[in-house]
Amino acid sequence: MPSQNLYHRPDALSWLDSWRDKPLIKVMTGIRRAGKSTVFLLFQRHLAKLGISPARILSYNFEDPDLSHLATWQDVWQEIKPHLSPTETTYLFLDEIQLVPSFERLVDGLFSKGNVDLYITGSNAFFLSGELGTLLTGRYVSYELSPFSFAEFHAATQSAVPEEDFRKFLRTGGFPLAISLHDTPRLADEYLSSVLDTLLFKDVMARHNFRNPRQLLRLIRFLISAIGSPVSPGSIAKTLKGEGLPLTPATLDEYLSALTECYLFHQVQRYDIRGKSYLKTLSKYYLADTGFKYALLGSKDQELGHLLENVIYLELRRRFSEVFTGKLDTGEVDFVAFEHGLPQYYQVALTVRDPDTLSRELAPLKVLKDNYPKFIITLDCDPETNYDGIRQLYAIDFLLGKA
């Protein structure tokens, strides 16, 4: 990617810098094309500005065809070993390391070297759920890099009109390359379709030996159209069977796991607010990037309220350690976000200027008698309002950190 498109990712860079020189492996995960390689490059430039010699900064991207000769972990080891200093720290970056067979042994061996500060990336959640996670328990920290937040998108476009930027953000999404295409939605759609194809065929079908792309694509379309609605493998199976696609709940469960493993969707479980317990049924699924919805389904019948809900969920994921949908006896709260075990409650609506809509959105929050923060987030560009402790916020101000 040309240097002018190396957009700044302050949160990710701050995280890397906070763990620099700490005796832990730094693992960056996240959906393909979210910018992990670029973040590594920006961090390497930061290290150089700190006065670290270029000879002490080594970087390998295993998607690079020029590294195809490094076919085994032993090959990679032999390549790296001569460049390690016995007396100085070497900052070592291994990008998409899961492409190296038995990479866990390489990572473990490099970590055992006291003079290596090790940074690695991978594009699947399985990356830390399998042998690597077991092998390195207690010896790594991880960071999930998502496509750009709206605040990052707005900073990258340098627009003076955040409302116009927000419309573009919903339409073309936050992938770094898509940002440069936000004024040409057709090209952004083509690019996002290519990203989706890569996810579908490389990260889902090939990895899991699935054989029916038609079924997977129909499931993706269903989940996109059902954003904000609680679903289960059983309910999805019933719907698809009615469309002539008979799938068992067990097969659907495998498909859903694969689609969340590659970070295309995020599964959000329900939390029983009264019982303070986690529920295993009727999850919601949100897209990693709203641009996928337009790329796959077109621009007709896009429900902006659901897209807004998707964007707010992604923002809450960035800010809180845990995010759930909330269940009450007679209704639900869109999101319950936890930090250090303490909840905050969020309702999301496109507009609440209609009194009946406002009353409906306030109702579940009014039932909650605790003193934890409660919010309604809307696209109504109105002054902040407080309803007996429930704050109504303008979504764009919230996303930009102004509210």
Side-chain angles (χ1 to χ4, degrees), residues 17-32:
D17 202 40
S18 69
W19 288 104
R20 176 170 51 89
D21 294 325
K22 304 293 192 300
L24 292 166
I25 300 170
K26 277 62 76 171
V27 181
M28 185 166 286
T29 64
I31 192 169
R32 285 179 181 268

PDB file of all heavy atoms in Angstrom, residues 17-32:
ATOM      1  N   ASP A  17       3.094  -0.126  21.957  1.00  0.00           N
ATOM      2  CA  ASP A  17       4.144   0.590  22.678  1.00  0.00           C
ATOM      3  C   ASP A  17       4.078   0.320  24.178  1.00  0.00           C
ATOM      4  O   ASP A  17       5.117   0.265  24.848  1.00  0.00           O
ATOM      5  CB  ASP A  17       4.031   2.089  22.407  1.00  0.00           C
ATOM      6  CG  ASP A  17       5.334   2.818  22.667  1.00  0.00           C
ATOM      7  OD1 ASP A  17       6.404   2.272  22.321  1.00  0.00           O
ATOM      8  OD2 ASP A  17       5.291   3.922  23.218  1.00  0.00           O
ATOM      9  N   SER A  18       2.873   0.135  24.697  1.00  0.00           N
ATOM     10  CA  SER A  18       2.750  -0.113  26.137  1.00  0.00           C
ATOM     11  C   SER A  18       3.358  -1.450  26.531  1.00  0.00           C
ATOM     12  O   SER A  18       3.775  -1.632  27.682  1.00  0.00           O
ATOM     13  CB  SER A  18       1.271  -0.057  26.553  1.00  0.00           C
ATOM     14  OG  SER A  18       0.545  -1.159  26.019  1.00  0.00           O
ATOM     15  N   TRP A  19       3.407  -2.401  25.576  1.00  0.00           N
ATOM     16  CA  TRP A  19       3.972  -3.722  25.872  1.00  0.00           C
ATOM     17  C   TRP A  19       5.392  -3.895  25.347  1.00  0.00           C
ATOM     18  O   TRP A  19       5.976  -4.971  25.496  1.00  0.00           O
ATOM     19  CB  TRP A  19       3.061  -4.818  25.296  1.00  0.00           C
ATOM     20  CG  TRP A  19       1.782  -4.953  26.062  1.00  0.00           C
ATOM     21  CD1 TRP A  19       0.545  -4.521  25.692  1.00  0.00           C
ATOM     22  CD2 TRP A  19       1.615  -5.559  27.348  1.00  0.00           C
ATOM     23  NE1 TRP A  19      -0.379  -4.821  26.656  1.00  0.00           N
ATOM     24  CE2 TRP A  19       0.243  -5.458  27.696  1.00  0.00           C
ATOM     25  CE3 TRP A  19       2.488  -6.170  28.257  1.00  0.00           C
ATOM     26  CZ2 TRP A  19      -0.265  -5.950  28.892  1.00  0.00           C
ATOM     27  CZ3 TRP A  19       1.981  -6.667  29.447  1.00  0.00           C
ATOM     28  CH2 TRP A  19       0.621  -6.542  29.750  1.00  0.00           C
ATOM     29  N   ARG A  20       5.932  -2.852  24.742  1.00  0.00           N
ATOM     30  CA  ARG A  20       7.288  -2.937  24.200  1.00  0.00           C
ATOM     31  C   ARG A  20       8.283  -3.285  25.298  1.00  0.00           C
ATOM     32  O   ARG A  20       8.255  -2.740  26.393  1.00  0.00           O
ATOM     33  CB  ARG A  20       7.661  -1.604  23.552  1.00  0.00           C
ATOM     34  CG  ARG A  20       9.094  -1.523  23.036  1.00  0.00           C
ATOM     35  CD  ARG A  20       9.288  -0.274  22.200  1.00  0.00           C
ATOM     36  NE  ARG A  20       8.833   0.941  22.877  1.00  0.00           N
ATOM     37  CZ  ARG A  20       9.613   1.684  23.666  1.00  0.00           C
ATOM     38  NH1 ARG A  20      10.872   1.333  23.901  1.00  0.00           N
ATOM     39  NH2 ARG A  20       9.128   2.780  24.227  1.00  0.00           N
ATOM     40  N   ASP A  21       9.160  -4.249  24.998  1.00  0.00           N
ATOM     41  CA  ASP A  21      10.230  -4.700  25.886  1.00  0.00           C
ATOM     42  C   ASP A  21       9.729  -5.461  27.110  1.00  0.00           C
ATOM     43  O   ASP A  21      10.536  -5.819  27.985  1.00  0.00           O
ATOM     44  CB  ASP A  21      11.106  -3.523  26.351  1.00  0.00           C
ATOM     45  CG  ASP A  21      11.876  -2.889  25.199  1.00  0.00           C
ATOM     46  OD1 ASP A  21      12.288  -3.639  24.296  1.00  0.00           O
ATOM     47  OD2 ASP A  21      12.044  -1.661  25.191  1.00  0.00           O
ATOM     48  N   LYS A  22       8.426  -5.723  27.168  1.00  0.00           N
ATOM     49  CA  LYS A  22       7.911  -6.575  28.252  1.00  0.00           C
ATOM     50  C   LYS A  22       8.124  -8.032  27.850  1.00  0.00           C
ATOM     51  O   LYS A  22       8.012  -8.399  26.681  1.00  0.00           O
ATOM     52  CB  LYS A  22       6.420  -6.302  28.497  1.00  0.00           C
ATOM     53  CG  LYS A  22       6.075  -4.849  28.815  1.00  0.00           C
ATOM     54  CD  LYS A  22       6.634  -4.402  30.143  1.00  0.00           C
ATOM     55  CE  LYS A  22       6.047  -3.066  30.586  1.00  0.00           C
ATOM     56  NZ  LYS A  22       6.304  -1.947  29.654  1.00  0.00           N
ATOM     57  N   PRO A  23       8.438  -8.923  28.793  1.00  0.00           N
ATOM     58  CA  PRO A  23       8.763 -10.316  28.467  1.00  0.00           C
ATOM     59  C   PRO A  23       7.521 -11.151  28.160  1.00  0.00           C
ATOM     60  O   PRO A  23       7.236 -12.166  28.811  1.00  0.00           O
ATOM     61  CB  PRO A  23       9.465 -10.804  29.735  1.00  0.00           C
ATOM     62  CG  PRO A  23       8.856  -9.991  30.833  1.00  0.00           C
ATOM     63  CD  PRO A  23       8.602  -8.631  30.237  1.00  0.00           C
ATOM     64  N   LEU A  24       6.762 -10.714  27.161  1.00  0.00           N
ATOM     65  CA  LEU A  24       5.570 -11.420  26.708  1.00  0.00           C
ATOM     66  C   LEU A  24       5.504 -11.323  25.189  1.00  0.00           C
ATOM     67  O   LEU A  24       5.997 -10.358  24.585  1.00  0.00           O
ATOM     68  CB  LEU A  24       4.302 -10.795  27.297  1.00  0.00           C
ATOM     69  CG  LEU A  24       4.088 -10.948  28.807  1.00  0.00           C
ATOM     70  CD1 LEU A  24       2.991  -9.993  29.275  1.00  0.00           C
ATOM     71  CD2 LEU A  24       3.711 -12.388  29.152  1.00  0.00           C
ATOM     72  N   ILE A  25       4.894 -12.313  24.551  1.00  0.00           N
ATOM     73  CA  ILE A  25       4.677 -12.262  23.109  1.00  0.00           C
ATOM     74  C   ILE A  25       3.480 -11.357  22.837  1.00  0.00           C
ATOM     75  O   ILE A  25       2.435 -11.480  23.475  1.00  0.00           O
ATOM     76  CB  ILE A  25       4.417 -13.674  22.549  1.00  0.00           C
ATOM     77  CG1 ILE A  25       5.623 -14.571  22.822  1.00  0.00           C
ATOM     78  CG2 ILE A  25       4.138 -13.618  21.050  1.00  0.00           C
ATOM     79  CD1 ILE A  25       5.369 -16.028  22.514  1.00  0.00           C
ATOM     80  N   LYS A  26       3.632 -10.453  21.897  1.00  0.00           N
ATOM     81  CA  LYS A  26       2.553  -9.557  21.516  1.00  0.00           C
ATOM     82  C   LYS A  26       1.842 -10.144  20.297  1.00  0.00           C
ATOM     83  O   LYS A  26       2.453 -10.291  19.232  1.00  0.00           O
ATOM     84  CB  LYS A  26       3.082  -8.166  21.194  1.00  0.00           C
ATOM     85  CG  LYS A  26       3.309  -7.283  22.400  1.00  0.00           C
ATOM     86  CD  LYS A  26       4.347  -7.787  23.413  1.00  0.00           C
ATOM     87  CE  LYS A  26       5.754  -7.579  22.911  1.00  0.00           C
ATOM     88  NZ  LYS A  26       6.796  -7.862  23.970  1.00  0.00           N
ATOM     89  N   VAL A  27       0.574 -10.508  20.453  1.00  0.00           N
ATOM     90  CA  VAL A  27      -0.191 -11.172  19.399  1.00  0.00           C
ATOM     91  C   VAL A  27      -1.285 -10.223  18.913  1.00  0.00           C
ATOM     92  O   VAL A  27      -2.118  -9.780  19.698  1.00  0.00           O
ATOM     93  CB  VAL A  27      -0.832 -12.475  19.901  1.00  0.00           C
ATOM     94  CG1 VAL A  27      -1.602 -13.155  18.772  1.00  0.00           C
ATOM     95  CG2 VAL A  27       0.233 -13.414  20.469  1.00  0.00           C
ATOM     96  N   MET A  28      -1.287  -9.925  17.620  1.00  0.00           N
ATOM     97  CA  MET A  28      -2.335  -9.097  17.025  1.00  0.00           C
ATOM     98  C   MET A  28      -3.178  -9.964  16.097  1.00  0.00           C
ATOM     99  O   MET A  28      -2.658 -10.592  15.175  1.00  0.00           O
ATOM    100  CB  MET A  28      -1.739  -7.917  16.265  1.00  0.00           C
ATOM    101  CG  MET A  28      -2.786  -6.955  15.727  1.00  0.00           C
ATOM    102  SD  MET A  28      -2.091  -5.359  15.194  1.00  0.00           S
ATOM    103  CE  MET A  28      -1.744  -4.605  16.790  1.00  0.00           C
ATOM    104  N   THR A  29      -4.482 -10.031  16.382  1.00  0.00           N
ATOM    105  CA  THR A  29      -5.397 -10.814  15.564  1.00  0.00           C
ATOM    106  C   THR A  29      -6.400  -9.871  14.905  1.00  0.00           C
ATOM    107  O   THR A  29      -6.390  -8.662  15.134  1.00  0.00           O
ATOM    108  CB  THR A  29      -6.140 -11.854  16.408  1.00  0.00           C
ATOM    109  OG1 THR A  29      -6.959 -11.171  17.368  1.00  0.00           O
ATOM    110  CG2 THR A  29      -5.167 -12.762  17.134  1.00  0.00           C
ATOM    111  N   GLY A  30      -7.308 -10.439  14.116  1.00  0.00           N
ATOM    112  CA  GLY A  30      -8.353  -9.628  13.508  1.00  0.00           C
ATOM    113  C   GLY A  30      -8.630 -10.040  12.083  1.00  0.00           C
ATOM    114  O   GLY A  30      -7.878 -10.810  11.468  1.00  0.00           O
ATOM    115  N   ILE A  31      -9.709  -9.526  11.544  1.00  0.00           N
ATOM    116  CA  ILE A  31     -10.151  -9.881  10.201  1.00  0.00           C
ATOM    117  C   ILE A  31      -9.107  -9.487   9.166  1.00  0.00           C
ATOM    118  O   ILE A  31      -8.356  -8.528   9.339  1.00  0.00           O
ATOM    119  CB  ILE A  31     -11.509  -9.196   9.902  1.00  0.00           C
ATOM    120  CG1 ILE A  31     -12.152  -9.772   8.647  1.00  0.00           C
ATOM    121  CG2 ILE A  31     -11.346  -7.692   9.805  1.00  0.00           C
ATOM    122  CD1 ILE A  31     -13.592  -9.336   8.454  1.00  0.00           C
ATOM    123  N   ARG A  32      -9.053 -10.237   8.090  1.00  0.00           N
ATOM    124  CA  ARG A  32      -8.138  -9.908   6.985  1.00  0.00           C
ATOM    125  C   ARG A  32      -8.362  -8.485   6.494  1.00  0.00           C
ATOM    126  O   ARG A  32      -9.485  -7.999   6.458  1.00  0.00           O
ATOM    127  CB  ARG A  32      -8.355 -10.874   5.811  1.00  0.00           C
ATOM    128  CG  ARG A  32      -7.786 -12.263   6.011  1.00  0.00           C
ATOM    129  CD  ARG A  32      -8.079 -13.106   4.796  1.00  0.00           C
ATOM    130  NE  ARG A  32      -7.577 -14.468   4.939  1.00  0.00           N
ATOM    131  CZ  ARG A  32      -6.378 -14.878   4.539  1.00  0.00           C
ATOM    132  NH1 ARG A  32      -5.555 -14.002   3.976  1.00  0.00           N
ATOM    133  NH2 ARG A  32      -5.996 -16.130   4.696  1.00  0.00           N
TER     134      ARG A  32
END
